[in-house]
Amino acid sequence: MSQAVRTRPEGSGQPLSEAYDTALLDLDGVVYAGGNAIVHAVDSLAVARAGGMHLAYVTNNALRTPDTVAEHLTELGIPTGADDVITSAQAVARLISEQVPAGARVLVIGGEGLRVALRERGLTPVESADDDPAAVVQGFGGPELTWGRFAEASYAVARGVPWFASNTDLTIPSGRGIAPGNGAAVEVVRIATGKEPQVAGKPLPPMHRETIIRTGAKRPLVVGDRLDTDIEGAFNGGVDSLLVLTGVTDGAQLLAAPPQHRPTYVDADLRGLLTGQPEVDPLTEGFRCGGWTATAGADRLELEGDGEPLDGLRALCAAAWTAAGEGSCELDGGKALARLGL
């Protein structure tokens, strides 16, 4: 059954931390940036946890182990156990284990996170295409991953060995800027072999399945900053989502979002977990949220009123998404967003 097309953000009379039992939180751009905690993240997560919400951290980065991620979060002031961390390495290891014999050898092109996840599923990591692997798995390996590793993967994949990728994010943020991500490395092997890998990470279903298996969530809320991984992953999993504006997504991208990239809720940062969400009300013409009214004109989005800028953005989302229907809004929202300082 296809999902109904979302045409406006939803409201919530309860704080989101009470309306949902588990927050499935992305890390970079949501909890931290460049390794440092994002403003309000530590305090907001502490209050949500104290109120009974289960916090789980879901990352497409297959390099770090859950233990390493948990230690980093704990150092930031967010007490976290390894069981609270779900990685794309774990998701792809489960996917592989369902398709190869128990104890099978798997050629690893990536870091320690992949090796730990494979061993957890009873598989044996190997380093060479000559080790007779039953599968090849590729995940982000950091700057230490040499060109020869891509060649090793290519030799095995070209022979017909099943190929898996933890994720295909083309870029990854770093302390110095944007760097090539695992998707860029996957492209190298794809070009060399003409083959396509099975992919586990966000926004695809294997990652969402892994989070539900490991957390036992009954009513999860995906919290992220990226439309094409976090929000689309929630859409594919049929669960609600909260977009926070502390990462890569800006107002223009949000207004232009196609249905699979439209979040259930929008807020500035993780304080949004601790509050209800305002209703966006349809009018005869346009939509109202708080003190703002947004309408879709012939060639641009119009915004009138004043008040909380986020309410204006929510009203603009409703006008844009309704006008776009099942497509992407092409109306100019620049002037309206400028009024909101977004």
Side-chain angles (χ1 to χ4, degrees):
M1 182 182 297
S2 61
Q3 297 186 45
V5 174
R6 178 174 302 286
T7 57
R8 63 180 185 265
E10 288 187 17
S12 174
Q14 290 179 282
L16 298 184
S17 58
E18 298 176 9
Y20 298 88
D21 66 350
T22 305
L24 304 178
L25 295 130
D26 183 47
L27 288 171
D28 212 326
V30 176
V31 178
Y32 55 65
N36 298 315
I38 287 174
V39 64
H40 305 300
V42 174
D43 291 344
S44 297
L45 293 174
V47 173
R49 186 191 310 108
M53 189 178 217
H54 179 202
L55 306 180
Y57 302 93
V58 185
T59 177
N60 259 1
N61 190 329
L63 176 60
R64 298 196 296 171
T65 66
D67 281 316
T68 302
V69 174
E71 288 171 7
H72 179 204
L73 290 170
T74 301
E75 288 171 358
L76 294 178
I78 305 168
T80 306
D83 290 345
D84 298 320
V85 179
I86 301 94
T87 73
S88 62
Q90 294 171 322
V92 77
R94 188 182 299 272
L95 192 62
I96 295 168
S97 72
E98 294 169 343
Q99 299 181 42
V100 301
R105 298 176 179 182
V106 179
L107 173 58
V108 176
I109 313 300
E112 187 61 16
L114 275 177
R115 293 178 178 84
V116 168
L118 289 169
R119 293 189 189 103
E120 183 184 42
R121 300 253 67 84
L123 301 170
T124 304
V126 297
E127 301 301 316
S128 172
D130 296 333
D131 289 331
D132 193 27
V136 177
V137 64
Q138 203 169 348
F140 185 68
E144 293 76 25
L145 200 61
T146 65
W147 198 255
R149 302 306 297 152
F150 304 141
E152 210 65 40
S154 299
Y155 301 147
V157 172
R159 292 203 303 258
V161 177
W163 178 28
F164 298 81
S166 63
N167 66 297
T168 51
D169 297 2
L170 291 174
T171 61
I172 188 168
S174 77
R176 297 174 60 193
I178 300 299
N182 191 54
V186 167
E187 284 299 311
V188 173
V189 178
R190 193 200 313 267
I191 291 167
T193 64
K195 306 286 188 178
E196 294 286 338
Q198 294 184 53
V199 183
K202 296 183 284 187
L204 297 173
M207 187 67 170
H208 182 72
R209 179 181 62 149
E210 192 72 19
T211 65
I212 299 304
I213 290 172
R214 288 180 179 269
T215 64
K218 302 299 183 185
R219 184 161 169 72
L221 178 70
V222 170
V223 185
D225 71 309
R226 296 184 69 109
L227 301 180
D228 60 349
T229 54
D230 306 316
I231 305 308
E232 185 174 341
F235 176 88
N236 290 338
V239 300
D240 289 347
S241 60
L242 166 65
L243 178 79
V244 291
L245 300 176
T246 47
V248 301
T249 299
D250 61 25
Q253 293 168 326
L254 181 59
L255 297 183
Q260 69 272 25
H261 291 173
R262 297 172 188 169
T264 314
Y265 311 104
V266 180
D267 220 309
D269 52 54
L270 286 177
R271 288 176 296 178
L273 284 175
L274 310 179
T275 65
Q277 294 288 310
E279 296 289 343
V280 181
D281 297 314
L283 306 174
T284 303
E285 290 188 15
F287 297 85
R288 176 186 297 134
C289 185
W292 299 96
T293 299
T295 56
D299 58 1
R300 68 181 185 182
L301 297 168
E302 305 282 357
L303 185 67
E304 299 294 336
D306 57 29
E308 166 59 48
L310 275 172
D311 288 342
L313 180 61
R314 295 176 180 115
L316 283 170
C317 285
W321 298 349
T322 299
E326 297 185 9
S328 297
C329 182
E330 298 181 357
L331 299 175
D332 182 5
K335 185 175 180 181
L337 290 171
R339 283 199 64 189
L340 299 174
L342 298 173

